[in-house]
Amino acid sequence: KAGVTQTPRYLIKTRGQQVTLSCSPISGHRSVSWYQQTPGQGLQFLFEYFSETQRNKGNFPGRFSGRQFSNSRSEMNVSTLELGDSALYLCASSLVGGVYGYTFGSGTRLTVV
Amino acid sequence: GENVEQHPSTLSVQEGDSAVIKCTYSDSASNYFPWYKQELGKRPQLIIDIRSNVGEKKDQRIAVTLNKTAKHFSLHITETQPEDSAVYFCAANSGYALNFGKGTSLLVTP
């Protein structure tokens, strides 16, 4: 069965722009979580969605937002991009919900110039 | 958020030797402790996990131990092979989130 699909794989944006990243979970998985991965900070939690509801949000500014659709696909949006937003954005889906048994996608590499 | 400390940050072992990576966590409510392996340019992959009602879990050459009283958990890899070379992340849950350690870069030399 198909894994977790993230699009696009690579993105280059300029400061001040906004960006939308997409994540399609494994079929049947209703929980989607997003993480930011950087060399200095490692993996940091952004948010988690289950059945279109955000259940938890990490310690990121309000410029970072997300949503989940009825088919469990999720998007995250970053507005007013800053250089420090350059990172690999990973989403993970889970069959049983929450943090158990994550399968990660390959990520979207965002570069802000 | 809650902290997960991971040591060492780099580890180099000879093929066939054992490797041990240690983590500590701060959230007393944490009850799920997974380990992920991330090869260069690839996604993190779950290799083993343990829940707080278990003290040790093994899967072939890898094992994880948990000391909930001391808030420590460790990954043990025996008979290391070059393909074990990767970055390993420990994590502990906090609500619906995982708090990750900063990672250990393991190099297994032939």
Side-chain angles (χ1 to χ4, degrees):
Chain A
K1 63 183 177 184
V4 178
T5 303
Q6 290 189 248
T7 56
R9 288 295 308 276
Y10 302 94
L11 209 47
I12 300 175
K13 291 286 189 177
T14 56
R15 278 178 296 175
Q17 286 187 311
Q18 74 163 15
V19 67
T20 299
L21 312 182
S22 179
C23 173
S24 293
I26 292 173
S27 178
H29 287 197
R30 293 164 63 189
S31 173
V32 174
S33 300
W34 289 88
Y35 288 82
Q36 181 194 66
Q37 186 174 25
T38 57
Q41 296 300 317
L43 286 123
Q44 292 191 291
F45 172 76
L46 282 155
F47 20 67
E48 190 260 0
Y49 288 91
F50 184 84
S51 293
E52 302 179 67
T53 300
Q54 185 184 91
R55 299 194 296 187
N56 206 359
K57 189 178 194 306
N59 189 26
F60 279 82
R63 301 184 296 106
F64 291 80
S65 62
R67 58 179 175 167
Q68 187 180 34
F69 302 96
S70 58
N71 62 357
S72 294
R73 190 178 71 86
S74 178
E75 289 182 346
M76 67 164 281
N77 184 277
V78 188
S79 62
T80 319
L81 284 165
E82 300 177 0
L83 295 179
D85 297 333
S86 295
L88 180 67
Y89 290 87
L90 292 161
C91 83
S93 74
S94 168
L95 176 63
V96 297
V99 301
Y100 304 106
Y102 276 170
T103 298
F104 278 95
S106 295
T108 293
R109 172 76 60 187
L110 172 64
T111 302
V112 182
V113 297
Chain B
E2 303 295 341
N3 281 342
V4 175
E5 301 286 334
Q6 182 172 348
H7 299 280
S9 56
T10 61
L11 181 58
S12 183
V13 299
Q14 293 255 311
E15 183 177 0
D17 287 349
S18 295
V20 180
I21 302 170
K22 298 184 178 183
C23 290
T24 60
Y25 63 98
S26 60
D27 186 354
S28 300
S30 295
N31 60 5
Y32 176 67
F33 308 91
W35 288 85
Y36 288 85
K37 174 184 179 182
Q38 188 174 29
E39 297 175 35
L40 192 61
K42 296 194 174 180
R43 70 190 74 189
Q45 290 197 296
L46 179 67
I47 56 171
I48 195 167
D49 56 15
I50 192 168
R51 304 204 184 194
S52 60
N53 57 345
V54 175
E56 183 175 359
K57 183 177 178 181
K58 280 186 178 181
D59 183 4
Q60 299 182 9
R61 296 186 298 109
I62 59 174
V64 58
T65 58
L66 171 65
N67 182 330
K68 223 174 176 298
T69 303
K71 295 183 186 170
H72 291 172
F73 58 114
S74 301
L75 178 71
H76 304 252
I77 306 174
T78 59
E79 300 170 25
T80 54
Q81 301 166 3
E83 51 266 37
D84 294 329
S85 296
V87 179
Y88 291 80
F89 294 95
C90 64
N93 69 321
S94 182
Y96 294 112
L98 281 180
N99 295 312
F100 283 87
K102 292 272 171 50
T104 296
S105 181
L106 173 64
L107 177 64
V108 181
T109 54

